Amino acid sequence: MTEGAPTQPLGFHATTVAVDNAAAMIVGPSGSGKSSLALQLIGLGAKLISDDYSRVEVGEAGPFVLAPDRLQGVIEARGVGLINVPWKASARLQLVVDMAQDEVERHPGSRRLTNIGGYDIDLVLRVDAPYFACALYHLLKSGRYDATS
């Protein structure tokens, strides 16, 4: 990675929320539950960065997701409409949640992506369980258990 100014922002069809300064970008096709999961996370205390389209700026400090220029703090709740929620201007991308793939392993461990600005990002696949949002919230807040430490 070259030193200096951040690169041009990368665009993703994704909804992003943050817990403190750790962001989770939720990806998947339309209707896969991106906004629904984000609303559950916001209900637990997360803050919205962007709904439906996320801009990632990569610089020396890593990848950061940026709030949109318009409709900051606005998310679509299907069947309810556009609603205002707590929001944050940016946060460091820590996690990608893929709503298009179901997790089949009981203890999957960490999966790494390397295609977001050259930085490794943890990947979590969709879990069809009522605790999924809570687990993601605490993964962002406190990290993954490491048996080696």
Side-chain angles (χ1 to χ4, degrees):
M1 175 127 325
T2 59
E3 292 186 30
T7 62
Q8 285 293 98
L10 307 169
F12 296 90
H13 178 69
T15 296
T16 303
V17 298
V19 176
D20 299 328
N21 198 39
M25 190 164 62
I26 306 165
V27 301
S30 289
S32 63
K34 295 182 298 292
S35 295
S36 177
L37 178 58
L39 282 165
Q40 291 173 342
L41 286 160
I42 292 165
L44 294 168
K47 293 184 178 177
L48 179 71
I49 295 178
S50 62
D51 184 34
D52 200 41
Y53 181 77
S54 295
R55 294 180 304 138
V56 177
E57 191 172 83
V58 180
E60 290 179 30
F64 278 78
V65 186
L66 311 172
D69 295 331
R70 296 183 51 222
L71 298 175
Q72 294 172 338
V74 176
I75 190 168
E76 177 188 0
R78 205 169 278 219
V80 177
L82 298 175
I83 59 173
N84 294 311
V85 296
W87 68 281
K88 185 175 176 88
S90 70
R92 191 173 200 289
L93 182 59
Q94 297 289 329
L95 186 66
V96 172
V97 180
D98 188 345
M99 297 296 284
Q101 299 183 65
D102 288 332
E103 182 57 71
V104 294
E105 294 184 40
R106 182 173 181 185
H107 298 283
S110 180
R111 291 183 175 91
R112 305 309 274 186
L113 295 176
T114 57
N115 62 348
I116 300 182
Y119 285 88
D120 289 341
I121 307 296
D122 199 8
L123 172 67
V124 172
L125 305 181
R126 179 182 175 276
V127 174
D128 188 18
Y131 59 80
F132 188 46
C134 287
L136 291 175
Y137 180 88
H138 290 288
L139 182 58
L140 287 168
K141 182 116 180 125
S142 304
R144 191 179 294 276
Y145 173 73
D146 182 1
T148 62
S149 57

